[in-house]
Amino acid sequence: QVQPVESGGGLVQPGGSLRLSCAASASIFRLSTMAWYRQAPGTQREMVARMTPGGGTNYVHSVKGRFTISRDNAKNSVFLQMDSLKPEDTAVYYCNTLPPAPGYWGQGTQVTVSS
């Protein structure tokens, strides 16, 4: 299987927006709940948003109302629109299935929220 490729991260000021993209393996994506995870330095990786193949979504409390997950099943891609970003959103963001496939972590994309 090919590892996912995350992109779209960067440096943004508090209150700004970013849109993350993840290109996933078709064999992994098609029937899987896909999720975005993040890991800040010195912390454990946490799931922030997930989306079922049918479109059901769930978010961790800290990002509700600010982040929106979506997926394009035809392109085996999942996205994370992040608005009203806060410094505490700074982390490396990854996509994977839920539950995560142990061997399926990509390089991630760095998001830094700072003035």
Side-chain angles (χ1 to χ4, degrees):
Q1 63 191 22
V2 178
Q3 304 309 102
V5 179
E6 300 95 346
S7 62
L11 173 64
V12 64
Q13 293 187 341
S17 298
L18 285 172
R19 178 176 169 84
L20 306 184
S21 299
C22 170
S25 166
S27 61
I28 293 286
F29 184 91
R30 191 163 47 91
L31 297 176
S32 299
T33 292
M34 296 299 297
W36 282 96
Y37 300 79
R38 67 185 180 188
Q39 186 169 22
T43 69
Q44 289 197 345
R45 194 172 292 171
E46 66 167 345
M47 189 208 73
V48 295
R50 61 96 167 160
M51 191 172 202
T52 67
T57 60
N58 187 262
Y59 300 89
V60 67
H61 178 75
S62 60
V63 308
K64 278 184 180 178
R66 301 188 298 119
F67 291 10
T68 303
I69 189 172
S70 60
R71 61 192 288 164
D72 184 334
N73 291 334
K75 296 183 178 179
N76 302 317
S77 295
V78 62
F79 308 97
L80 188 67
Q81 177 67 39
M82 306 188 296
D83 299 315
S84 302
L85 282 161
K86 303 177 180 180
E88 51 263 44
D89 296 317
T90 295
V92 180
Y93 285 72
Y94 305 86
C95 69
N96 203 327
T97 57
L98 179 70
Y104 194 61
W105 294 106
Q107 295 298 309
T109 185
Q110 175 71 48
V111 172
T112 303
V113 185
S114 175
S115 56

